[in-house]
Amino acid sequence: MRAVAVLAVLFYHANGSWLKAGYVGVDVFFVISGFIITALLTERSGKVDLAAFYASRVKRIVPAYFSMLGVVAALSAVLFVPDDFAFFFDSLKSSAWFTSNHYFAHFGSYFAPRADELPLLHTWSLAIEMQFYLFFPIMVICIPARWRLPAFLLLAIVAFAWVGYRTLG
């Protein structure tokens, strides 16, 4: 399923007419990741070891991610004019803190840079994933097992309502 999700995104970026809804692949990847993390946190007997959970996420993601950020920053320092590099540096800071989803969310105006002018735009999805990894385990631990399903259903309903409000309003 992860391969299908990744292929959907790749086909979308290769040629948008091949797969009109390529970002569905990102959504599928998020669902799979959420399912796996939920299973890791809830199906084990005993107490959840948050330190080990966070350490495994950091070990899996951070080395490759920061290597990529370093390469992109080095190339940008060479290729960009100073004003463009200053703009890039703001996106680099938000990417390093895994908050680039918030940073890039406000790039919808007529004068906003095009997607191909934002070398770190793709980091938005990993920022969301890392925020999920940070907050979801704490929610799982803090909510008693019998209340998890109703609590997460309510949270999902509120989130969908908020997105609908923001999209239509």
Side-chain angles (χ1 to χ4, degrees), residues 7-25:
L7 286 173
V9 173
L10 290 175
F11 284 136
Y12 174 79
H13 284 293
N15 186 337
S17 66
W18 291 349
L19 187 63
K20 297 281 186 203
Y23 287 104
V24 170

Side-chain angles (χ1 to χ4, degrees), residues 19 22 39 45 58 87 93 121 125-126 135:
L19 187 63
S45 60
V58 168
F87 181 77
K93 289 186 289 188
L121 180 62
S125 60
L126 189 59
F135 296 112

Side-chain angles (χ1 to χ4, degrees), residues 121-142:
L121 180 62
H122 66 284
T123 64
W124 69 268
S125 60
L126 189 59
I128 291 171
E129 188 173 2
M130 288 299 278
Q131 292 162 21
F132 175 79
Y133 290 156
L134 180 63
F135 296 112
F136 186 70
I138 295 169
M139 292 170 54
V140 168
I141 289 172
C142 291

